[in-house]
Amino acid sequence: MVGFVGMTAMGATKGIPLTMFGISGAAQVTAKAFTSLALANGLSFPVATLAKSGKMAPVMAGSLLLGGAKYSVREYLQVVAIIGGTAIVSMGKGKKGSSPSSIAGVAYIALSLVLDGVTAGFQKRLKTDTAKAGVKPKPYDYMFWTNLFMCLTATAIAFALGEFKSGLAFCSSNPEILSKIVRFSLCSAVGQSFIFYTISNFDPLILSTVTTTRKIFSVILSIILKGHSLSITGWSGIALSCAGIVSEMHAKATHSKKHSR
């Protein structure tokens, strides 16, 4: 709804290849479904978090294979630094006695990562195809059409798994959760406005960098606000990820200065 209002206010872009939006949206929400299935099938939360922190790798692979992107050695090293640092932080926060990860859970999280790569690849191809057609989708175009296809796919999956009726029944029997869902959705919609601005104006790898490194800043904010402690391993992971982020910011700033001259 926020995407539709924004798209209407800014003016919808004509000639957008909706097939690419359909594939990207379906892959994106299916990746989320596989992550949930991985947790439901015994994959421990720390392992799932650790695995998803490495999504920049399949995103880069998807952009290379499906989107025709090219990356420098420096960009590869930045990805390794950010993924490695996030993984170290996750391990540093790991708790003893966590449940063992099932084979089905590992398979589902692997499928989720593959679909992260597919999503990025088709987002890259979408930008290439629209540029060739002389069309530049606006942020709210991305937001509306992507979320529309995500909603349709999620609804189909819910019906296929027999969870649509049970979900409605749960909400009706627990009305207090509806206000929390609405607040969560509003926060998500505001956040997505920035996410789709990034998708519209930057490379999918940049988006993955943003969504991956937010974990680092969440950890730092949690430490500051809640007085949590972090091991030397955890701090070293933060330092490594921050080094990768700073390196990427420096590279982008240098690139922008060259083009502005």
Side-chain angles (χ1 to χ4, degrees):
M1 288 188 289
V2 172
F4 178 77
V5 171
M7 184 177 68
T8 304
M10 296 182 68
T13 304
K14 297 181 180 180
I16 294 176
L18 296 183
T19 301
M20 291 294 179
F21 273 105
I23 297 173
S24 174
Q28 192 171 338
V29 76
T30 306
K32 295 179 185 292
F34 277 132
T35 300
S36 298
L37 284 168
L39 295 170
N41 281 271
L43 191 74
S44 65
F45 186 76
V47 172
T49 303
L50 181 62
K52 291 296 283 186
S53 70
K55 68 180 290 184
M56 291 177 71
V59 165
M60 180 175 273
S63 296
L64 286 166
L65 298 174
L66 298 174
K70 293 182 180 180
Y71 298 107
S72 65
V73 175
R74 178 172 181 166
E75 287 175 309
Y76 284 112
L77 292 176
Q78 287 165 185
V79 168
V80 171
I82 294 171
I83 292 175
T86 309
I88 291 170
V89 172
S90 299
M91 289 186 290
K93 290 182 67 183
K95 296 180 179 179
K96 295 181 180 180
S98 58
S99 59
S101 302
S102 68
I103 295 176
V106 172
Y108 280 127
I109 203 69
L111 287 171
S112 178
L113 289 170
V114 168
L115 286 171
D116 283 334
V118 171
T119 301
F122 279 101
Q123 284 177 349
K124 187 77 175 180
R125 184 181 290 184
L126 172 63
K127 295 186 72 172
T128 302
D129 290 353
T130 52
K132 288 180 180 178
V135 178
K136 181 175 173 53
K138 300 168 186 170
Y140 284 108
D141 291 320
Y142 276 98
M143 186 172 183
F144 173 73
W145 290 112
T146 300
N147 277 288
L148 176 64
F149 287 111
M150 286 178 69
C151 179
L152 294 174
T153 304
T155 302
I157 292 174
F159 272 111
L161 297 177
E163 295 180 353
F164 192 84
K165 290 184 179 179
S166 62
L168 289 177
F170 180 83
C171 288
S172 61
S173 60
N174 298 275
E176 66 276 5
I177 201 173
L178 289 177
S179 63
K180 299 182 185 297
I181 291 175
V182 170
R183 288 199 297 269
F184 178 85
S185 299
L186 286 173
C187 290
S188 177
V190 173
Q192 280 195 28
S193 297
F194 295 98
I195 290 296
F196 284 102
Y197 175 83
T198 306
I199 292 175
S200 177
N201 293 281
F202 300 98
D203 187 271
L205 186 64
I206 302 299
L207 172 66
S208 183
T209 302
V210 172
T211 57
T212 298
T213 54
R214 73 179 175 189
K215 295 179 182 178
I216 297 296
F217 295 107
S218 295
V219 171
I220 295 174
L221 186 63
S222 177
I223 292 169
I224 295 173
L225 296 180
K226 298 184 179 180
H228 292 165
S229 61
L230 197 65
S231 65
I232 295 176
T233 301
W235 282 114
S236 64
I238 289 178
L240 181 59
S241 289
C242 287
I245 298 168
V246 171
S247 175
E248 182 175 359
M249 291 173 63
H250 178 264
K252 296 299 178 185
T254 304
H255 181 73
S256 299
K257 287 181 179 179
K258 287 181 179 179
H259 281 269
S260 63
R261 290 176 181 174

